[in-house]
Amino acid sequence: MTSSTSQTKGKSTGAAPHIVVLFGATGDLARRKLLPGLFHLCMSKLAPELRVVGTSLDDLDDDGFRKLAGEACAEFSRREVNRDDLDKWLQNLRYVPQGKGAGALSDAVHEQAAHLDGEVRLLHYLSVPPKAVIPVLQTLEDAGLVKSARVVMEKPFGTDLQSAVDLNASIHEKFDESQIFRIDHFLGKEAAQNILAFRFANGLFEPIWNRTFIDHIQIDVPEKLSLEGRAAFYEPIGAFRDMVVTHLFQILAFVAMEPPTALASRSISAEKNKVFESMVPLDPTHVVRGQYRGYREEDGVSADSDTETFVALKCEIDNWRWAGVPFYLRTGKCMAEGQRIISIAFREPPKSMFPPGCGIGLHGPDHLTFDLADESKVSLSFYGKRPGPGMKLDKQSLQFGIAETEAVRDVLEGYERLILDAMHDDHTLYTTAEGIERLWEVSQPLLDEPPPVRSYDVGSWGPNAIHQLIAPHAWRLPFDRGWRGGK
């Protein structure tokens, strides 16, 4: 898309000016994350010159949408909002009700492009329910907004292997795979990317990142939130489809992948897909499904619902590096705490010279812990001598938090980073059709024969069966020892 006139000059970000077409522009995700994120990218000068065209089922005009966007930025921005900057940015927003059709959307995009210099790129963000994806793509085709455009898609990417294959085939009828960005906001977090830096930039850790030195790995993402009025989405999906396939398995790939040949999207995607190919199909007997008490009384939930709001599972990677190392994954709603933790448990020494009662082993093995929350912390725990007479050992830790660095102000929220990457045509932190389809293939045994759901109390850590699942190990959440300075 080109423009012949301009009122603003592009910024020197290395990317062409953009029109962001935001479907679902009045929805919860847009209000909480996408609109504040776009505002911050513009004000920080990180994004190229851009304008936004919002569209949804709501019958608003431009002023109504700008009012909604302004309130969203004021309420949900993680940074101080300068009102003059916000008012100026809001003037770059347009809105088209979906009921007005493809022609009106096309007109709004071209009107916005007229304010930008040179070759203008299109980025379509689909913050819409799964059933709306194909109709939205058809609208884009009818509006003539497909060529050279990029499209960001929210999860879920299908609900099983066949639906994922069918969805990808339908998408590929209109968009090439290189144009598609399947978003996982977990991978946009600073802490998730720090896993790559931690592993591959340090000679201290990469040599021991294997089955010889690592006993087991936990990826634990409990949530305190309940259904939050999302029964229409959640009932047919459940915790496994909602969180494990699209989030936890992706984090697992970052932890388990081989060193890529380059820090480039193609190389990293190739190594992630090798991990997925090496995953052993899930064994339903190594899965615990749960449902919090009171779920069936939620509005929109069936009185005999079998949907899991909790899932814990054991999975394995059958390759040279990880053979025999179990990966334990857990996530659920209405749990005791909200956390996002990766815990690497190292093997204990084969023999101890320390006397009984000295404290060694009392707090489990040595652990390397990544906190994927916005605070972005890393902790290495180990046993050390307690000061004083005798040989008593205590668990000690070395901790790092990004809040302790001068660069904390440069941290981007996950959606901000991923939108910026899409503008730069960088697929590094996005998932691929090949990877998604393989994960559904790995998951099929569980989907075919799911174990029964077990009840658990609101505010607990899930059904009691989770302890048998992980035995002889133990779940690291809740922590016996908190993070320094907080939690």
Side-chain angles (χ1 to χ4, degrees):
M1 176 176 291
T2 58
S3 170
S4 58
T5 65
S6 172
Q7 295 177 0
T8 55
K9 299 296 181 183
K11 303 168 188 172
S12 56
T13 63
H18 271 69
I19 304 293
V20 177
V21 182
L22 179 55
F23 287 84
T26 60
D28 189 64
L29 178 62
R31 292 175 58 251
R32 289 178 177 271
K33 297 292 185 180
L34 304 181
L35 291 167
L38 289 167
F39 170 60
H40 173 249
L41 287 176
C42 288
M43 293 303 101
S44 65
K45 313 300 184 184
L46 292 171
E49 189 71 35
L50 65 85
R51 286 177 171 254
V52 176
V53 175
T55 181
S56 76
L57 297 176
D58 291 319
D59 189 15
L60 297 177
D61 58 13
D62 289 344
D63 288 340
F65 180 53
R66 289 166 183 159
K67 181 176 184 292
L68 179 149
E71 292 172 349
C73 291
E75 181 177 359
F76 296 112
S77 177
R78 296 188 299 113
R79 305 166 181 88
E80 185 177 347
V81 174
N82 180 291
R83 190 68 221 189
D84 290 340
D85 289 340
L86 179 59
D87 289 341
K88 181 178 178 181
W89 179 73
L90 293 174
Q91 296 310 306
N92 293 336
L93 275 56
R94 286 285 318 277
Y95 183 82
V96 180
Q98 282 182 225
K100 289 194 173 181
L105 181 64
S106 178
D107 290 344
V109 169
H110 284 87
E111 287 173 13
Q112 289 284 60
H115 296 287
L116 300 171
D117 270 335
E119 187 71 21
V120 177
R121 299 301 302 264
L122 295 177
L123 180 68
H124 307 304
Y125 198 112
L126 274 57
S127 179
V128 297
K131 63 182 181 181
V133 168
I134 300 305
V136 164
L137 297 182
Q138 185 62 54
T139 296
L140 290 172
E141 185 175 55
D142 294 343
L145 301 177
V146 169
K147 185 178 180 181
S148 300
R150 302 177 182 121
V151 58
V152 179
M153 297 181 58
E154 282 284 343
K155 66 177 178 70
F157 312 112
T159 56
D160 56 20
L161 176 58
Q162 189 58 54
S163 64
V165 170
D166 293 343
L167 177 62
N168 284 327
S170 296
I171 296 169
H172 290 155
E173 290 177 0
K174 297 174 174 58
F175 287 87
D176 184 77
E177 179 66 18
S178 64
Q179 297 176 269
I180 302 167
F181 293 77
R182 298 172 186 81
I183 196 167
D184 173 11
H185 70 273
F186 272 46
L187 297 188
K189 292 182 175 294
E190 197 78 36
Q193 296 167 70
N194 201 32
I195 297 170
L196 299 182
F198 200 90
R199 285 191 57 191
F200 300 127
N202 296 293
L204 176 62
F205 292 102
E206 179 54 27
I208 63 172
W209 208 269
N210 55 59
R211 59 188 174 86
T212 304
F213 299 97
I214 293 177
D215 184 79
H216 67 280
I217 294 173
Q218 297 179 33
I219 302 176
D220 215 340
V221 186
E223 297 179 295
K224 292 185 70 172
L225 298 175
S226 64
L227 207 56
E228 302 280 294
R230 299 170 67 229
F233 165 79
Y234 202 83
E235 260 287 86
I237 300 296
F240 178 78
R241 290 179 171 92
D242 182 41
M243 291 292 292
V244 177
V245 177
T246 51
H247 292 321
L248 274 63
F249 280 163
Q250 299 297 330
I251 293 294
L252 181 151
F254 266 28
V255 174
M257 64 190 281
E258 295 296 319
T261 56
L263 191 64
S265 59
R266 186 182 299 272
S267 300
I268 290 176
S269 292
E271 296 304 333
K272 285 174 59 184
N273 287 341
K274 287 179 184 177
V275 172
F276 300 149
E277 286 297 325
S278 299
M279 288 177 66
V280 177
L282 297 181
D283 182 347
T285 64
H286 293 158
V287 178
V288 176
R289 297 169 69 234
Q291 186 183 93
Y292 66 81
R293 291 184 173 90
Y295 173 77
R296 294 177 180 178
E297 283 74 55
E298 298 268 14
D299 290 341
V301 174
S302 170
D304 58 353
S305 173
D306 190 48
T307 298
E308 79 279 356
T309 62
F310 169 97
V311 63
L313 59 90
K314 171 186 173 182
C315 61
E316 298 176 282
I317 300 173
D318 188 19
N319 63 15
W320 190 271
R321 184 182 290 261
W322 296 113
V325 177
F327 288 73
Y328 298 102
L329 281 56
R330 177 172 64 167
T331 186
K333 292 190 174 297
C334 287
M335 299 186 69
E337 296 179 23
Q339 297 275 9
R340 295 171 180 176
I341 297 292
I342 301 170
S343 183
I344 317 290
F346 294 100
R347 296 193 183 278
E348 298 186 41
K351 185 173 176 60
S352 175
M353 66 180 185
F354 297 95
C358 70
I360 191 169
L362 185 63
H363 297 285
D366 300 339
H367 282 88
L368 176 63
T369 304
F370 293 89
D371 185 347
L372 302 187
D374 291 334
E375 290 83 0
S376 186
K377 297 178 180 179
V378 181
S379 172
L380 178 63
S381 68
F382 55 91
Y383 286 94
K385 182 184 178 299
R386 183 188 303 172
M391 182 57 73
K392 293 290 186 178
L393 304 181
D394 287 329
K395 203 68 175 289
Q396 310 292 344
S397 67
L398 300 173
Q399 296 190 6
F400 161 79
I402 199 165
E404 301 170 7
T405 72
E406 294 182 357
V408 64
R409 64 175 63 90
D410 297 329
V411 173
L412 290 176
E413 198 273 339
Y415 282 100
E416 295 171 357
R417 179 182 300 277
L418 291 167
I419 290 172
L420 188 62
D421 283 353
M423 290 179 180
H424 287 272
D425 202 26
D426 185 347
H427 284 80
T428 301
L429 301 177
Y430 286 87
T431 57
T432 66
E434 176 187 355
I436 287 294
E437 290 177 11
R438 171 57 184 168
L439 289 176
W440 285 120
E441 184 179 5
V442 167
S443 304
Q444 201 61 49
L446 172 60
L447 301 179
D448 289 340
E449 298 183 38
V453 294
R454 303 166 184 258
S455 295
Y456 65 96
D457 291 331
V458 172
S460 71
W461 290 101
N464 289 332
I466 62 172
H467 303 298
Q468 288 74 51
L469 173 69
I470 201 171
H473 313 298
W475 294 100
R476 288 210 72 211
L477 289 178
F479 287 137
D480 291 329
R481 304 170 67 252
W483 290 100
R484 183 179 67 231
K487 296 190 175 180

